[in-house]
């Protein structure tokens, strides 16, 4: 299905690739000059489609109302996906400018849809028809959730309350932006220059070199350190000089303390007022209502149960660290700025495990081939190279996914290596959301991107174990998209509740830790040998080192988040309240002046962000560890189990409640025991 028949105004040159048949994605032809004209046309087109659904005289049928709404922005979505993607992976100054210029109109259009009063009336009119009454399955859910979505945007409010909601949203955007800027300013304003190399003892060479470069780039002599993550983490983990670590720790954890301590109560108050206006008891209920957790209370109970079950191991780890410290220096204490440092010393002493030793066993080609082999065994699909597609860089590979029956399910691009024109990190996204349609199955299209260790002239790309996990993780997201069998495109694939979306990705990482699946692809790139037993066991043992501390840290943040958004933090100052809540989750008492909450950008740098959502990190881990137990019990290559996972989760998108999908696969509700076992905390 192309755009050819949609009838575009003649002023647009037919050669604009963003307006041509997007079934063959024109990555080699899109240029900055195409962006604005194409998006203008597509925005007009989408607006016209929405208007014709919303028109008072329009027929109120599922096809003309709901299905039309589901596809109204499809052409626009695809063009935007292509432009955003190119801007992220093959950017030029012109493309960035073009996208920056076009973006506000695009964002404004998307956010206007749930606020469109006429459209809301049309949907309600359809909802009162006999056809709507008789809807079942994903169509029923689509109607119900659409109505819920409009209500969450205030569609049912009086005009006075609508105005109040609007001014809350404006103010919330304002205050949260200021919060984020304050953190950024405080982070970048501070530097620490070491003139004497003797004071760098303990730091790895890479950190010393980075500090040298950083100083040189500022025209300074010596070694320059900052509060940016790589610099700060290296200092806290490795620097021998405790007094300098203390300086860093204190400055880092007091960033933006005063300015943001005044903003947090404002943000919490605005969120509370918004939630109440929309009929929720507090912001945590508002934020979780359309997630798997479903209520702030359920999220809090979940976090609390994990805390109780982690507590004992946490105390043991903390005692072990003190003991280790005192084995070096009797009567020594552990201060907050010593924890990461001594933990690293202890890890090295106990495991002598160097991540680098694994690299020769993980050549990218072997890993990817092993991943495809695994997916073929368990999910019954065939992934094959499909050369010839237009790509944005010659390193990009193009593949097809076929079902066992031979049907084409999807095609996708893999772009694994860094480039100067490409942003950092690893991610997956979609270009085409296909699925079953009246005229047959329409294949999906998507991509996976990473910034993995590139090949060198004399050796292939050799990955760390965590890079291997990254490939499996992103491919899990891709399968969620590419195996979708949902007819409603906005409910297909990865368009699921965000405390559920990491289940398909994280579960894939488990296959990177099983001997039998590692043996599929982990072979020395020169000798072809499997990972030696001793190295494998070291890797497994190091996995659970201080796992209770890592977990308690996440649970502490989640507890703080929920307490603040459930209005249960108490009446004292925000810094005091936050520190009181965090204290039981910290391995040593928090020092005077600690004000981490004032730099907690996850919660406060965005109108919603991770507000009342921090728990979802652990939530998703519980789901993936639990679901993987079926493979552990029935066989990690068991195709029956794999097909059950495919049918219950990977094909279903958001067509049913996530809790029901999980039950469909596991036959019961999630249980945190598997995660605790995986972390060695049971
Ligand atoms: Zn993910």
């Amino acid at each position: 299905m192309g755009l050819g028949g949609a009838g575009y105004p003649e002023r647009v040159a037919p050669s604009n690739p963003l307006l041509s048949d997007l079934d063959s994605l024109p990555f080699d032809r899109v240029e900055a000059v195409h962006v604005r004209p194409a998006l203008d046309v597509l925005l007009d087109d989408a607006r016209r489609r929405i208007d014709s659904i919303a028109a008072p005289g329009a027929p109120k049928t599922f096809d003309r109302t709901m299905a039309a709404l589901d596809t109204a922005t499809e052409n626009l979505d695809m063009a935007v996906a292509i432009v955003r993607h190119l801007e992220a992976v093959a950017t030029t100054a012109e493309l960035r400018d073009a996208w920056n210029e076009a973006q506000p109109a695009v964002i404004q259009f998307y956010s206007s849809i749930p606020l469109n009063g006429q459209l809301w009336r049309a949907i309600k009119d359809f909802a009162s028809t006999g056809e709507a009454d008789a809807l079942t399955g994903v169509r029923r859910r689509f109607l119900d959730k659409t109505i819920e979505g409009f209500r969450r945007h205030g569609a049912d409010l009086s005009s006075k309350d609508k105005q109040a909601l609007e001014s809350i949203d404006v103010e919330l955007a304002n205050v949260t932006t200021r919060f984020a800027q304050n953190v950024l300013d405080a982070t970048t304003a501070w530097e620490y220059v070491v003139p004497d190399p003797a004071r760098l003892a303990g730091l790895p060479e890479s950190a010393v070199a980075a500090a040298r470069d950083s100083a040189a780039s500022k025209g300074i002599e010596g070694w320059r350190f900052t509060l940016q993550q790589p610099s700060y983490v290296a200092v806290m983990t490795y620097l021998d000089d405790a007094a300098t670590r203390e300086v860093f720790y204190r400055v880092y954890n007091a960033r933006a303390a005063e300015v943001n301590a005044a903003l947090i109560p404002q943000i919490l108050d605005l969120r509370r007022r918004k939630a109440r206006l929309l009929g929720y008891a507090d912001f945590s209920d508002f934020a979780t209502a359309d997630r798997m957790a479903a209520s702030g209370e359920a999220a809090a109970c979940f976090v609390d149960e994990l805390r109780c079950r982690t507590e004992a191991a946490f105390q043991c780890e903390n005692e072990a660290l003190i003991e280790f410290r005192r084995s070096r220096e009797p009567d020594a204490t552990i201060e907050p700025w010593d924890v990461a440092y001594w933990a690293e010393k202890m890890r090295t002493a106990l495991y002598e495990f160097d991540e680098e030793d694994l690299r020769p066993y993980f050549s990218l080609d072997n890993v990817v081939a092993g991943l495809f082999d695994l997916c073929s065994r368990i999910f019954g699909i065939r992934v094959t190279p499909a050369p010839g597609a237009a790509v944005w860089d010659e390193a990009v590979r193009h593949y097809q996914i076929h079902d066992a029956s031979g049907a084409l399910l999807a095609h996708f691009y893999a772009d694994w290596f860094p480039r100067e024109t490409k942003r950092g990190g690893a991610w997956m996204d979609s270009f085409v959301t296909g699925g079953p349609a009246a005229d047959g199955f329409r294949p999906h299209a998507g991509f996976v991107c990473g910034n993995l260790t590139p090949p060198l002239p004399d050796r292939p790309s050799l990955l760390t174990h965590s890079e291997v996990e990254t490939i499996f993780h992103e491919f899990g997201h891709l399968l969620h998209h590419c195996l979708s069998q949902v007819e409603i495109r906005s409910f297909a694939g990865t368009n699921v509740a965000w405390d559920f979306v990491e289940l398909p990705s994280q579960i894939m990482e488990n296959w990177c830790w099983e001997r039998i699946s590692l043996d599929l692809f982990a072979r020395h790139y020169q000798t072809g040998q499997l990972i030696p037993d001793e190295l494998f066991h070291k890797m497994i043992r190091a996995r659970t080192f201080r796992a209770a501390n890592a977990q308690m840290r996440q649970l502490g943040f989640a507890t703080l988040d929920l307490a603040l958004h459930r209005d249960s933090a108490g009446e004292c100052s925000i810094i005091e309240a936050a520190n009181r809540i965090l204290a039981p989750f910290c391995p040593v008492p928090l020092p005077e002046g600690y004000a981490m909450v004032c730099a907690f950008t996850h919660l406060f740098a965005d109108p919603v962000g991770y507000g009342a959502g921090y728990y979802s990190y652990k939530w998703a881990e519980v789901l993936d560890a639990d679901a993987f137990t079926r493979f552990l019990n029935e066989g990690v290559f068991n195709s029956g189990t794999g097909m059950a996972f495919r049918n219950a989760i990977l094909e279903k998108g958001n067509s049913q409640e996530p809790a029901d999908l999980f039950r469909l696969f596991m036959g019961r509700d999630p249980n945190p025991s598997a995660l605790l076992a995986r972390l060695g905390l049971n």
Side-chain angles (χ1 to χ4, degrees):
M1 191 179 78
L3 303 180
Y8 294 114
E10 281 168 31
R11 66 185 163 84
V12 175
S15 60
N16 191 325
L18 288 168
L19 294 174
S20 63
D21 185 342
L22 293 184
D23 268 1
S24 60
L25 299 164
F27 291 115
D28 53 342
R29 287 182 289 135
V30 176
E31 288 174 34
V33 292
H34 300 129
V35 172
R36 188 63 194 259
L39 292 183
D40 280 349
V41 169
L42 293 169
L43 276 167
D44 276 352
D45 173 60
R47 252 182 231 116
R48 255 201 323 273
R49 288 168 190 256
I50 296 281
D51 288 348
S52 71
I53 301 167
K60 300 295 176 277
T61 63
F62 184 85
D63 284 348
R64 299 288 288 273
T65 310
M66 300 309 295
L69 180 62
D70 187 43
T71 53
T73 62
E74 187 171 14
N75 297 334
L76 177 66
D77 296 346
M78 277 172 70
V80 166
I82 291 170
V83 173
R84 272 181 44 195
H85 176 67
L86 287 175
E87 207 286 300
V89 298
T91 195
T92 61
E94 294 77 26
L95 191 63
R96 180 165 300 170
D97 288 348
W99 172 232
N100 284 345
E101 192 199 319
Q103 199 179 17
V106 173
I107 292 175
Q108 201 275 331
F109 168 71
Y110 281 116
S111 49
S112 74
I113 297 174
L115 304 174
N116 183 328
Q118 273 206 337
L119 181 62
W120 173 230
R121 194 158 313 119
I123 292 167
K124 280 205 294 196
D125 285 351
F126 167 67
S128 65
T129 63
E131 189 193 1
D133 257 353
L135 288 178
T136 56
V138 65
R139 293 183 169 210
R140 167 93 258 153
R141 182 171 166 83
F142 181 41
L143 176 61
D144 292 346
K145 289 274 161 190
T146 303
I147 289 174
E148 227 176 271
F150 271 79
R151 292 212 167 108
R152 281 171 68 82
H153 282 87
D156 267 349
L157 295 181
S158 70
S159 61
K160 184 170 146 267
D161 282 347
K162 269 186 191 158
Q163 265 177 15
L165 183 63
E166 205 182 309
S167 70
I168 288 175
D169 280 337
V170 169
E171 214 181 321
L172 205 44
N174 241 314
V175 189
T176 50
T177 303
R178 273 163 55 207
F179 182 96
Q181 283 165 353
N182 290 338
V183 176
L184 188 65
D185 290 350
T187 305
T188 51
W190 195 80
E191 62 175 22
Y192 191 90
V193 178
V194 178
D196 173 9
R199 286 183 51 206
L200 303 176
L203 285 178
E205 251 173 64
S206 58
V208 173
R212 183 96 200 165
D213 283 354
S214 172
S217 75
K218 297 277 169 188
I220 311 172
E221 282 291 305
W223 291 262
R224 177 177 178 266
F225 297 86
T226 67
L227 298 179
Q228 308 287 358
Q229 280 296 302
S231 184
Y232 177 73
V233 170
V235 168
M236 297 311 294
T237 313
Y238 299 107
L239 190 74
D240 288 340
D241 176 15
T244 303
R245 287 202 311 268
E246 178 178 353
V247 170
F248 272 74
Y249 180 92
R250 288 188 183 277
V251 179
Y252 186 83
N253 287 299
R255 281 175 303 157
E258 268 159 45
V259 273
N260 279 352
L263 298 187
I264 294 171
Q266 290 180 41
I267 295 170
L268 293 173
D269 182 54
L270 287 163
R271 286 176 176 166
R272 182 183 308 118
R273 279 163 50 203
K274 175 171 178 157
R276 298 240 169 104
L277 205 52
L278 293 166
Y280 297 89
D282 56 43
F283 186 78
S284 77
D285 278 353
F286 168 74
T288 50
D290 61 351
R291 295 183 190 153
M292 188 172 171
S295 75
E297 161 111 45
C301 287
F302 164 82
V303 173
D304 223 46
E305 185 192 346
L306 272 187
R307 181 186 66 80
C308 291
R309 295 177 67 173
T310 312
E311 186 73 49
F314 177 63
Q315 300 305 347
C316 287
E317 283 180 11
N318 294 337
E319 280 156 28
L321 187 68
I322 287 263
E323 246 169 66
F324 177 80
R325 170 85 179 93
R326 289 184 178 158
S327 70
R328 304 291 178 92
E329 192 185 332
D331 302 328
T333 55
I334 298 243
E335 301 295 338
W337 42 89
D338 298 330
V339 175
Y341 176 82
W342 285 103
E344 175 58 21
K345 287 269 174 293
M346 185 173 167
R347 191 187 70 84
T348 318
L350 282 183
Y351 300 111
E352 292 173 284
F353 173 63
D354 188 346
E355 285 269 347
E356 293 296 307
D357 295 344
L358 283 165
R359 254 190 218 275
Y361 298 91
F362 296 133
S363 82
L364 178 86
D365 287 342
N366 281 350
V367 170
V368 168
L371 170 63
F372 293 169
D373 184 11
L374 174 75
C375 291
S376 145
R377 290 169 187 234
I378 56 181
F379 299 133
I381 54 170
R382 206 157 40 83
V383 186
T384 51
V391 290
W392 52 91
D393 186 275
E394 58 181 17
V396 176
R397 303 173 198 186
H398 183 244
Y399 300 91
Q400 290 183 326
I401 301 180
H402 287 90
D403 211 346
S405 67
L408 177 66
L409 297 174
H411 67 106
F412 69 92
Y413 304 79
D415 181 359
W416 293 126
F417 302 123
R419 279 187 301 280
E420 270 185 14
T421 54
K422 179 175 169 184
R423 77 166 167 88
W427 69 102
M428 166 273 161
D429 214 333
S430 61
F431 295 124
V432 178
T433 300
D439 51 352
F441 187 88
R442 184 179 174 218
H444 305 278
F447 67 89
V448 275
C449 275
N451 279 274
L452 308 174
T453 307
L456 295 172
D458 59 341
R459 58 168 233 201
S461 159
L462 298 178
L463 308 174
T464 63
H465 184 257
S466 104
E467 287 179 318
V468 176
E469 283 187 300
T470 299
I471 292 181
F472 275 61
H473 179 106
E474 297 309 331
F475 200 73
H477 283 308
L478 188 80
L479 288 176
H480 201 190
H481 176 69
C482 290
L483 301 188
S484 176
Q485 291 284 345
V486 179
E487 62 159 318
I488 304 292
R489 60 187 290 281
S490 42
F491 275 32
T494 58
N495 294 312
V496 297
W498 80 330
D499 51 6
F500 187 68
V501 73
E502 296 297 333
L503 167 59
S505 53
Q506 287 181 185
I507 197 171
M508 293 303 295
E509 295 174 24
N510 290 286
W511 277 275
C512 303
W513 292 94
E514 295 301 315
R515 178 87 232 194
I516 174 172
S517 48
L518 280 170
D519 286 353
L520 271 186
F521 58 86
R523 285 172 193 277
H524 196 284
Y525 78 107
Q526 285 163 322
T527 65
Q529 275 180 339
L530 301 174
I531 299 176
D533 276 339
E534 203 199 329
L535 185 56
F536 173 73
H537 289 303
K538 274 187 189 171
M539 166 184 142
I540 295 296
R541 286 209 325 266
R543 185 187 195 187
T544 55
F545 177 64
R546 286 178 62 81
N549 264 267
Q551 175 141 295
M552 284 296 268
R553 185 181 152 82
Q554 292 297 87
L555 294 174
F557 293 155
T559 302
L560 172 61
D561 171 29
L562 287 165
L564 295 178
H565 290 109
R566 296 180 76 213
D567 308 328
S568 54
E571 288 298 309
C572 46
S573 89
I574 183 68
I575 296 176
E576 240 175 88
N579 289 353
R580 216 188 40 229
I581 293 165
L582 288 174
F585 298 90
C586 297
V588 293
L590 293 169
E592 191 70 19
Y594 184 87
M596 175 274 165
V597 71
C598 294
F600 203 169
T601 47
H602 270 83
L603 303 195
F604 302 120
D606 183 279
V608 178
Y610 269 78
Y614 203 91
Y615 76 89
S616 59
Y617 286 111
K618 277 292 152 192
W619 186 278
E621 276 183 58
V622 163
L623 297 186
D624 94 72
D626 196 18
F628 191 66
T629 57
R630 257 197 80 176
F631 288 97
L632 288 175
N633 295 333
E634 297 164 19
V636 294
F637 294 150
N638 189 314
S639 62
T641 317
M643 289 307 283
F645 188 76
R646 177 175 163 185
N647 293 333
I649 311 285
L650 296 176
E651 290 182 350
K652 290 290 196 300
N654 188 25
S655 62
Q656 296 178 39
E657 281 297 315
D660 291 340
L661 295 179
F662 190 87
R663 267 180 231 122
L664 198 58
F665 179 63
M666 290 301 284
R668 58 164 174 75
D669 286 334
N671 181 332
S673 297
L675 175 63
L676 294 163
R678 186 167 81 185
L679 297 173
L681 302 177
N682 48 343

